[in-house]
Amino acid sequence: MEISSFIGRDGDISRGVALLAETRLLTLTGAGGCGKTRLAQRIAGRVLHRYPGGVWWTELARLTDEGLIADEVADVLGVRVPPGRDAVNTLSAYLETEPALVVIDNCEHLIAGAAAFVQRLLRSTPGMAILATSREPLAIEGEVTWRVPSLGLPPAACETPEALGRYDAVRLFIERAVQADPDFCVTSENAPAVARICQQLDGIPLALELAAVRVRSLTTERISGALDDRFGLLAARRRGVVPRHETLRASVDWSHELLGPEERVLFRRLGIFAGGFTIDAADSVAAFDPVHDRAALDVLTRLVDKSLVHLDGPGRYRLLETVRQYALDRLADAGETEVLHERHLAWAGNLARTLESEATDAHPAALDELEAEHANLRAALEWAAASGRHGRALEIVGSLAFFWAQHGHYREAASWESRLVESSEATGGQAVARARWGCAYVRFYGGDAVGAYERAQIGLAGAKAIGDSSTAARCLHTMGAGLILTDPVLARQHLVQAAELADTAQDEWCLADALQIVAYTYLAEGDHRLAVPFLEEAFPICDRRGNQFQRCWHHGGMGWVAAQRGQMPVAESEVRRAIEVGRTVGDPTLEVWACALLCLVLVTAGRPQAMAAELETLLGARHEWGGLGEALIPAFAARARLLEDPAGVAAELEPIAVALIEGGDLVDGSHLMEQAARAALEAGRPVEAIRLAALSEEAAPTGWYRSAARMVRGVAARQLGDPAACDLLHDSLGYLAGREILLGVPLAVETLGGLLIREGQLAEGGRLLAAGETLRAETGQGRLPGDQGRFDEDVRLGKEELGPEWAQAWAEGSALTPAEAVAYARRARGTRKRPATGWDSLTPTELQVVELAAQGLTNPEIGKRLFIGRGTVKTHLSHVFAKLNVSSRAELAAAASRRS
């Protein structure tokens, strides 16, 4: 009879029922208090219909003599065993008439006798089945074992009452808490503490029930805080339960008392591991007298069988945190705590040193291994810091720099920097210099470029003082990296020095990385020609070393080069390859930056909506890491909606750009502000576009970004009829031409062509429009809808105005090479035949439209007279109004009258 309600486990019950249909012996195993008995009761209740001979429950917990197991089962079934008769044979005879299920609960303390009894009974009674519960398997033929899992736990980010209610561990805690205190309820304030309690107690039902009782006198926050001493907190005895379930300690004591001498020794020593361990780690740390490495695996296997150690996957083990705390208490009782901490620190230091080279080259297997052991590394550092072993801790910090940077553990590095590197104990030497550089490097990737520069500068002085050329080169490298977003030219000076020093020190990582970032400084200036040699010099080094991190940045750099050269398909291919490699490495900064470049390529290709799919993958794989580039993610989502809501995109991008600029990231900030201006332009808001583009130009750290901003200003000025449009576009085009950049050239050429059409230079304008069309086809640069509409209108107007000669002009423009098209556009600037405003600025057709409009003719009537469409008449009139600064037909007629 169940007194308290049974919470959750619907899936576990169904699985148990299914397993029992496939075997005659199912053993539910697991740690004490995990819910084996209650689950067995539910499974048995579900299968009653399968067994006409009945389902019989036998409890062995209070039995101490394994020779009486058969008699205990016989008593439950009501079978009388005559004196001198064998109890198993008597039971077999009784059970063979109809299929029956016998449930045997709590076999672990009588494991040998229980195994022998079950084996005999099953062999002699073909129609029956047995469901057993035990903290270790019976280990007999035909047995199917199933380790009962803990109750479902909420993730760390799950902090609302509604979300918590979906998890069985939370539901059990809440129900038992309400039984202890009917006024208890989960609120937004205490929900995080409830989630932490469930996580701290590993979802173990017994532990949760014992903790829930404490709500009578403690808040959930106090309960969570006190669980470091969980055996003291959860020590209140419960009446009416078996002794081993009275307290949490009693439950684990029960399992511990069943261990042999070697098992007890290894068990307590394994408590030193945080977050799990491998057999090799157990050998290194815990296998010494009286448990030697030759026997460790066998002893460990027995601990797994007895549910005190969990097998988490191939070759990886762990203790539930509650069990681990118990093991640490036993370790202290044995007087072995310090020696185990010392061995654990030595193992952690060796692991960090051994994997440093592979982590430097971003080998995924090494990074994944460090991630798996991160909790152990952290625990080793904690003990080293607390016990005054600062030198050894600093060595580990220096070795973990690449792992922390590439897996986004920026806050972790910052914490150890303040505790170890900047402490009074860090008095110099190679370990201090290397750790200082490592933390500066991680700080840069964590988004603090200024702090990275300052700390690398201090590290440089320390490295020079001890003659450590490699660390000095890395400090110069990080100083250069810290400046790249604000001052690429000054950054390059540090990076060139870093490369020279790294070459002398034979530090290939630093040499290749410094060369790559030098290339990026040139790309930030729009000079792909100077960037390529540095990328090509660095690539053989990183490729030979198999450095995935640098391979990713190489492909990203070549993608940027291809984009500047106007090779959009090549650019997209290279950038997507960079993203793929970045995801393999697991570096969030790599992935975000590559996605930012992909965004530029897709917008240029006229396919911004394609960014949505990439964004979905990015957000699905990443949590907030608070590092370099994280602020760009919302910008990806915005730009993916450019075709749907350009005005909204502009409004969304501006504050992101402002925040980046104010934070010192002028490269990304000015670029995003220019993209906001492009969005405003697409939304038909040229005045807003000019304002945003001016902000971009003001913040731009190089001519490349200023050029992009001036082009947007030029396109917007053209829409407003501002004479400055021509100069702005030519300035931008001149910068691009001087560096042989084709990115953006089609837009500049087409817009200049449109200006010429409006000025009556129809053939010249037609050639530039055709050249722009050809350039787009050859480079893969598409048009956004707004650009397309303006282009189509210019072409239509040119055709109507020039007539049959248009085809010839178009053919001539289409035949121009990119260089010829740019040169032609720049020459056309010097052949303008009329001013931008006033009567002399009007084209012959515009003069005819004025004359007819002054006579009072309507647009359709004017179109019929001049053999042009009414839409074209309307366009001509809008240009006339702008050039003459009039706003109505009446004002136009008056101005025409005065002129005549």
Side-chain angles (χ1 to χ4, degrees):
M1 177 74 68
E2 293 184 343
I3 297 176
S4 60
S5 59
F6 185 85
I7 303 296
R9 289 206 187 274
D10 292 337
D12 294 339
I13 295 170
S14 298
R15 186 179 181 193
V17 169
L19 288 172
L20 199 55
E22 299 171 359
T23 183
R24 295 178 61 209
L25 172 58
L26 174 63
T27 303
L28 307 184
T29 66
C34 73
K36 299 183 294 295
T37 297
R38 299 290 297 273
L39 181 58
Q41 290 171 346
R42 287 298 168 125
I43 293 171
R46 286 273 189 95
V47 298
L48 276 169
H49 64 284
R50 293 183 187 171
Y51 301 100
V55 174
W56 306 93
W57 187 275
T58 307
E59 170 61 65
L60 300 186
R62 292 180 173 83
L63 198 65
T64 59
D65 185 349
E66 63 182 31
L68 297 178
I69 294 176
D71 297 277
E72 185 75 11
V73 175
D75 284 347
V76 169
L77 271 68
V79 176
R80 183 176 176 274
V81 181
R85 291 285 300 275
D86 181 78
V88 175
N89 289 338
T90 302
L91 279 170
S92 179
Y94 177 83
L95 291 169
E96 67 183 0
T97 56
E98 290 186 297
L101 172 68
V102 175
V103 184
I104 306 177
D105 191 30
N106 296 296
C107 300
E108 58 271 355
H109 62 301
L110 304 171
I111 195 69
F117 165 73
V118 168
Q119 189 169 41
R120 281 192 63 196
L121 188 61
L122 286 174
R123 284 179 175 175
S124 60
T125 317
M128 72 162 300
I130 291 177
L131 172 62
T133 74
S134 176
R135 300 191 186 189
E136 64 176 299
L138 300 178
I140 61 178
E141 183 181 359
E143 179 186 33
V144 172
T145 61
W146 177 36
R147 185 183 294 274
V148 175
S150 297
L151 294 175
L153 291 168
C158 186
E159 295 185 346
T160 65
E162 298 76 19
L164 287 177
R166 295 196 291 267
Y167 297 93
D168 288 347
V170 176
R171 291 170 57 205
L172 176 64
F173 178 85
I174 293 172
E175 178 155 320
R176 298 299 186 261
V178 170
Q179 289 172 357
D181 177 4
D183 293 328
F184 177 81
C185 65
V186 178
T187 65
S188 299
E189 288 71 30
N190 67 12
V194 170
R196 284 197 303 275
I197 291 168
C198 295
Q199 291 156 355
Q200 288 170 290
L201 295 175
D202 304 300
I204 300 174
L206 173 61
L208 292 169
E209 292 182 345
L210 291 167
V213 174
R214 289 295 185 179
V215 301
R216 292 173 181 156
S217 56
L218 298 174
T219 65
T220 52
E221 289 79 6
R222 290 288 302 276
I223 293 172
S224 174
L227 282 177
D228 286 341
D229 179 23
R230 63 196 64 197
F231 294 108
L233 179 69
L234 308 183
R237 294 188 177 276
R238 302 189 300 170
R239 298 185 180 90
V241 297
V242 293
R244 69 181 184 281
H245 282 178
E246 286 181 347
T247 68
L248 186 61
R249 180 177 293 280
S251 175
V252 189
D253 276 340
W254 171 269
S255 294
H256 188 257
E257 290 302 316
L258 298 176
L259 298 180
E262 283 190 331
E263 293 167 349
R264 291 185 184 186
V265 171
L266 186 62
F267 166 68
R268 70 178 181 243
R269 290 175 178 175
L270 293 175
I272 206 70
F273 289 105
F277 56 91
T278 64
I279 184 60
D280 290 338
D283 280 343
S284 297
V285 177
F288 61 97
D289 190 60
V291 181
H292 297 288
D293 55 3
R294 294 185 301 278
L297 179 58
D298 180 57
V299 178
L300 177 59
T301 301
R302 297 203 299 270
L303 291 173
V304 172
D305 288 342
K306 295 180 179 183
S307 303
L308 286 171
V309 175
H310 282 238
L311 181 61
D312 259 3
R316 188 154 190 89
Y317 305 84
R318 72 180 173 96
L319 278 66
L320 294 178
E321 189 57 29
T322 296
V323 176
R324 177 173 176 263
Q325 291 298 323
Y326 182 91
L328 288 173
D329 288 346
R330 300 286 72 76
L331 192 67
D333 292 344
E336 290 186 331
T337 299
E338 183 163 353
V339 67
L340 263 294
H341 271 303
E342 182 64 38
R343 293 175 70 94
H344 184 256
L345 174 61
W347 165 80
N350 183 64
L351 178 75
R353 284 190 302 275
T354 301
L355 294 178
E356 181 179 5
S357 177
E358 293 179 57
T360 299
D361 289 327
H363 293 173
L367 294 171
D368 289 345
E369 185 173 352
L370 288 168
E371 190 66 63
E373 301 296 358
H374 197 190
N376 277 312
L377 293 163
R378 186 183 294 122
L381 284 170
E382 289 282 359
W383 186 75
S387 62
R389 290 162 171 78
H390 287 82
R392 295 169 68 184
L394 286 167
E395 289 176 0
I396 294 176
V397 169
S399 296
L400 292 180
F402 289 103
F403 162 64
W404 280 335
Q406 291 166 17
H407 272 207
H409 297 301
Y410 312 124
R411 294 182 182 90
E412 179 90 5
S415 172
W416 290 115
E417 181 182 27
S418 63
R419 292 178 60 182
L420 293 172
V421 181
E422 296 177 355
S423 74
S424 58
E425 302 290 334
T427 56
Q430 186 173 26
V432 175
R434 198 68 156 190
R436 195 177 295 282
W437 161 75
C439 290
Y441 177 77
V442 181
R443 187 174 285 274
F444 168 70
Y445 277 94
D448 182 7
V450 174
Y453 183 92
E454 292 172 348
R455 285 160 175 79
Q457 199 170 31
I458 298 171
L460 176 62
K464 285 182 174 179
I466 60 173
D468 185 350
S469 298
S470 172
T471 301
R474 293 187 178 200
C475 288
L476 282 165
H477 159 280
T478 302
M479 290 167 64
L483 289 171
I484 190 171
L485 298 176
T486 54
D487 191 343
V489 176
L490 182 56
R492 189 157 58 239
Q493 295 175 17
H494 292 308
L495 291 162
V496 169
Q497 292 179 51
E500 292 171 350
L501 197 54
D503 193 23
T504 302
Q506 297 183 330
D507 187 337
E508 289 193 324
W509 171 84
C510 186
L511 173 60
D513 218 67
L515 291 171
Q516 283 187 331
I517 305 179
V518 168
Y520 275 80
T521 65
Y522 282 119
L523 287 170
E525 294 180 288
D527 210 327
H528 58 90
R529 300 165 302 179
L530 294 177
V532 169
F534 287 92
L535 290 171
E536 291 178 341
E537 184 180 352
F539 186 71
I541 302 172
C542 65
D543 194 47
R544 182 178 67 253
R545 293 172 60 90
N547 191 308
Q548 295 291 81
F549 178 84
Q550 291 172 342
R551 281 174 174 166
C552 175
W553 284 107
H554 172 79
H555 290 300
M558 293 307 295
W560 199 354
V561 168
Q564 291 188 359
R565 289 174 171 172
Q567 300 166 340
M568 291 303 129
V570 175
E572 183 172 348
S573 174
E574 288 283 357
V575 175
R576 288 193 181 278
R577 192 170 178 186
I579 292 171
E580 181 183 351
V581 175
R583 286 177 179 159
T584 301
V585 172
D587 184 334
T589 300
L590 275 173
E591 187 176 343
V592 170
W593 183 87
C595 283
L597 185 53
L598 179 63
C599 220
L600 167 67
V601 171
L602 292 175
V603 170
T604 302
R607 298 185 290 114
Q609 70 280 6
M611 195 61 207
E614 210 62 48
L615 179 68
E616 184 177 345
T617 304
L618 179 67
L619 293 181
R622 297 288 171 221
H623 55 78
E624 289 187 4
W625 58 86
L628 187 67
E630 183 185 20
L632 296 175
I633 291 180
F636 301 157
R639 292 165 76 182
R641 302 193 315 274
L642 181 57
L643 301 185
E644 305 167 17
D645 180 21
V649 170
E652 195 169 338
L653 290 182
E654 183 181 0
I656 300 173
V658 168
L660 288 168
I661 292 167
E662 291 178 348
D665 184 353
L666 304 184
V667 166
D668 293 315
S670 62
H671 171 65
L672 274 190
M673 194 68 80
E674 178 258 328
Q675 290 293 296
R678 286 287 289 130
L681 200 60
E682 185 65 18
R685 299 179 177 179
V687 174
E688 179 71 359
I690 288 174
R691 181 185 70 82
L692 293 169
L695 292 175
S696 172
E697 188 174 353
E698 181 181 354
T702 69
W704 159 249
Y705 293 100
R706 285 191 291 273
S707 167
R710 290 180 73 80
M711 184 177 297
V712 176
R713 286 180 59 197
V715 176
R718 182 253 168 122
Q719 290 186 41
L720 295 172
D722 186 343
C726 186
D727 289 338
L728 289 166
L729 291 165
H730 274 291
D731 286 352
S732 178
L733 186 61
Y735 188 91
L736 300 179
R739 287 157 182 76
E740 298 178 10
I741 300 171
L742 290 182
L743 181 63
V745 167
L747 178 61
V749 167
E750 290 171 352
T751 308
L752 287 169
L755 284 171
L756 291 174
I757 293 287
R758 306 298 169 159
E759 293 171 2
Q761 299 184 65
L762 304 175
E764 294 88 341
R767 292 187 189 99
L768 288 182
L769 291 173
E773 178 84 338
T774 301
L775 266 174
R776 289 190 185 278
E778 291 177 352
T779 64
Q781 298 182 63
R783 295 188 189 89
L784 296 176
D787 296 330
Q788 187 65 53
R790 288 184 287 275
F791 177 82
D792 291 342
E793 176 61 17
D794 288 336
V795 170
R796 185 186 62 78
L797 186 60
K799 278 184 178 180
E800 290 185 356
E801 293 266 345
L802 193 57
E805 297 177 21
W806 178 262
Q808 179 62 30
W810 189 268
E812 292 169 356
S814 299
L816 296 174
T817 66
E820 291 170 342
V822 171
Y824 185 82
R826 300 184 73 190
R827 285 198 306 273
R829 185 182 192 185
T831 62
R832 297 175 65 189
K833 299 182 176 65
R834 55 179 63 85
T837 60
W839 285 101
D840 290 340
S841 71
L842 300 185
T843 67
T845 302
E846 288 169 349
L847 287 170
Q848 289 180 293
V849 169
V850 170
E851 181 183 353
L852 296 174
Q855 295 174 15
L857 272 64
T858 64
N859 287 2
E861 291 171 336
I862 295 172
K864 188 174 181 180
R865 290 276 189 97
L866 299 180
F867 303 100
I868 58 177
R870 68 174 69 183
T872 304
V873 175
K874 183 178 179 181
T875 300
H876 282 308
L877 282 172
S878 67
H879 294 155
V880 167
F881 285 0
K883 291 177 180 181
L884 299 182
N885 195 27
V886 298
S887 59
S888 67
R889 281 177 171 258
E891 288 185 28
L892 178 62
S897 175
R898 288 194 299 272
R899 180 172 183 263
S900 63

